[in-house]
Amino acid sequence: MQRIIIETPDSLSAILVGARWEAVTKLLPQGDVVIVTDANLFNLYGNRFPRFPVLKLKPGEDSKKLPVIQKLTTEMLRLGFDRTVFILAIGGGVVCDVAGFLASVYMRGVRCGYISTSLLAQVDASTGGKTGVNLGRIKNVIGTFRQPEFVICDTTMLRTLPDTEYMSGLAELIKTGLIGDRSIIDILENNQAAVLGRDRELLTDLVARSVRFKASVVAKDEKEGGIRRILNFGHTFGHAIELHQSVPHGFAVAAGMEIAARFSLEKKYIGVKVYDRIIRLLRQYGFHGEFKVTPRRVRELISHDKKKSGDMISFVFLKGIGKAEVKKLPVDEIVGFYSNFRDL
Ligand code: GLY
């Protein structure tokens, strides 16, 4: 088990990678606890949950909306919970985002911790304190920064993940390797069978590397005023693809990374060897980008991007394997590049 601390000016979040989720009982405070999970997780593990009231979400992105927060709040009030309640999220990115947001607004804020159950949540979404819900199709536009007190990343839980969700998480792992830790890329390139076989030890090592890198970034810039933006590598186009083509998040990010890598090549930030290596790795793990979204639609969709200010947008480029840099570019240039890219 590896214990990684994310320290920010006013919080300390302990990420326990490779711990067994049942150990959560040792981390919970005395007093009221409420569990937020989804119906799939409850069916798989519910009979072993600690004995506390359980609030269940419908699985999927559609639960990330304000009416769900209202419903959960009503239920918590009905159960008589006051400010001392501790919210324990057990689930993937959606559950952690919703429960974390609820914890940050219920009676102006209560304590929370997560058991993170999907690869995507373990390598990225559940650590770093971003919470939030969508407004219609605009993702995460209502949200807060709120560090959970702990996150348990039990890699044995990844065995029950549907293949698509597992692959989706691998794309975020590739992202972390490309922007910050080249050892992740080396491991993924050389251990495909063990990665796809969901080898527990290997996954614990990979998740820990990813969390360690993210912890170092979040400690420097919790509120995403600067360096934290690099964690959005592949996401500018990724979000547009996700919305337009309705593909799972990681697959859209993989396609977005392919476009961003090509843009980095055109800008001469990386050479052709590095570019080819990135594309080879994406193909090795079955990511064959489809770019159906039109440039016009890209322009519309990125108009709500949180990285945009005025006509400029912060775009993440690669400067090598394990090295990224954010540059402000006119939206026109990004859309223009994408137009050419699609014609290649
Ligand atoms: N998922 C990107 C971040 O946490 O900043």
Side-chain angles (χ1 to χ4, degrees):
M1 197 268 285
Q2 305 200 38
R3 188 166 192 273
I4 299 156
I5 301 294
I6 301 186
E7 194 170 355
T8 69
D10 44 24
S11 68
L12 210 68
S13 186
I15 319 297
L16 310 171
V17 183
R20 302 310 294 260
W21 70 273
E22 291 91 341
V24 71
T25 46
K26 297 195 196 106
L27 301 171
L28 293 171
Q30 297 288 323
D32 285 335
V33 175
V34 61
I35 295 174
V36 177
T37 189
D38 73 22
N40 288 344
L41 261 305
F42 188 78
N43 290 340
L44 281 168
Y45 300 103
N47 59 354
R48 289 187 280 143
F49 279 4
R51 299 274 152 239
F52 297 112
V54 179
L55 305 179
K56 276 180 258 167
L57 307 180
K58 277 200 204 123
E61 189 77 14
D62 196 43
S63 283
K64 274 184 64 165
K65 56 188 179 194
L66 280 178
V68 170
I69 300 295
Q70 280 175 331
K71 211 168 141 201
L72 293 171
T73 305
T74 308
E75 195 56 17
M76 297 217 349
L77 289 171
R78 194 186 63 74
L79 290 163
F81 292 130
D82 59 24
R83 284 203 153 138
T84 60
V85 69
F86 187 98
I87 297 181
L88 173 65
I90 306 181
V94 169
V95 170
C96 294
D97 279 0
V98 168
F101 184 64
L102 180 67
S104 64
V105 294
Y106 186 72
M107 297 197 176
R108 298 212 168 89
V110 298
R111 299 168 64 189
C112 69
Y114 305 159
I115 296 172
S116 176
T117 61
S118 73
L119 183 58
L120 196 141
Q122 293 189 1
V123 300
D124 186 46
S126 65
T127 57
K130 281 187 180 174
T131 82
V133 293
N134 306 330
L135 185 65
R137 301 190 78 198
I138 312 175
K139 279 174 74 84
N140 300 321
V141 72
I142 302 167
T144 58
F145 288 98
R146 170 77 174 200
Q147 301 298 334
E149 290 180 19
F150 61 80
V151 182
I152 296 181
C153 300
D154 180 347
T155 44
T156 53
M157 294 180 108
L158 304 180
R159 291 211 190 110
T160 51
L161 267 190
D163 283 344
T164 317
E165 269 196 61
Y166 183 71
M167 298 312 293
S168 196
L170 280 182
E172 287 282 358
L173 193 55
I174 292 174
K175 179 204 79 179
T176 311
L178 290 177
I179 60 171
D181 183 348
R182 54 185 305 151
S183 71
I184 293 177
I185 302 300
D186 296 337
I187 295 170
L188 289 173
E189 283 173 337
N190 297 316
N191 296 276
Q192 186 180 347
V195 171
L196 295 180
R198 307 188 193 189
D199 179 274
R200 176 171 190 259
E201 223 170 285
L202 185 67
L203 282 175
T204 299
D205 179 51
L206 284 166
V207 172
R209 283 172 201 264
S210 185
V211 171
R212 223 174 281 120
F213 174 71
K214 185 160 181 181
S216 70
V217 173
V218 173
K220 285 187 208 121
D221 176 26
E222 182 189 19
K223 305 274 166 73
E224 201 170 298
I227 180 77
R228 184 167 180 165
R229 292 188 182 139
I230 65 170
L231 299 173
N232 297 316
F233 175 61
H235 284 61
T236 301
F237 288 108
H239 277 158
I241 292 167
E242 185 175 359
L243 283 174
H244 185 79
Q245 295 175 201
S246 298
V247 285
H249 181 71
F251 288 80
V253 168
M257 290 194 287
E258 184 165 340
I259 304 171
R262 182 80 204 187
F263 205 179
S264 306
L265 175 69
E266 286 217 354
K267 291 269 190 193
K268 300 199 175 20
Y269 297 145
I270 56 172
V272 77
K273 264 194 180 159
V274 169
Y275 174 76
D276 285 346
R277 188 174 170 197
I278 295 165
I279 302 303
R280 219 171 23 248
L281 180 66
L282 290 171
R283 300 289 182 266
Q284 185 182 345
Y285 282 95
F287 297 112
H288 298 274
E290 274 195 273
F291 311 102
K292 291 188 193 145
V293 56
T294 60
R296 197 163 146 197
R297 191 86 181 104
V298 165
R299 184 186 292 281
E300 277 165 30
L301 292 169
I302 65 179
S303 68
H304 300 302
D305 197 306
K306 292 186 288 308
K307 298 176 291 304
K308 185 171 152 294
S309 73
D311 292 336
M312 305 291 278
I313 189 158
S314 298
F315 192 85
V316 189
F317 288 101
L318 285 184
K319 288 279 180 104
I321 303 282
K323 203 155 171 250
E325 201 169 298
V326 180
K327 306 242 181 223
K328 276 207 165 140
L329 292 185
V331 172
D332 280 349
E333 185 179 344
I334 292 186
V335 177
F337 162 77
Y338 178 67
S339 251
N340 294 337
F341 171 87
R342 272 184 98 224
D343 292 342
L344 287 176

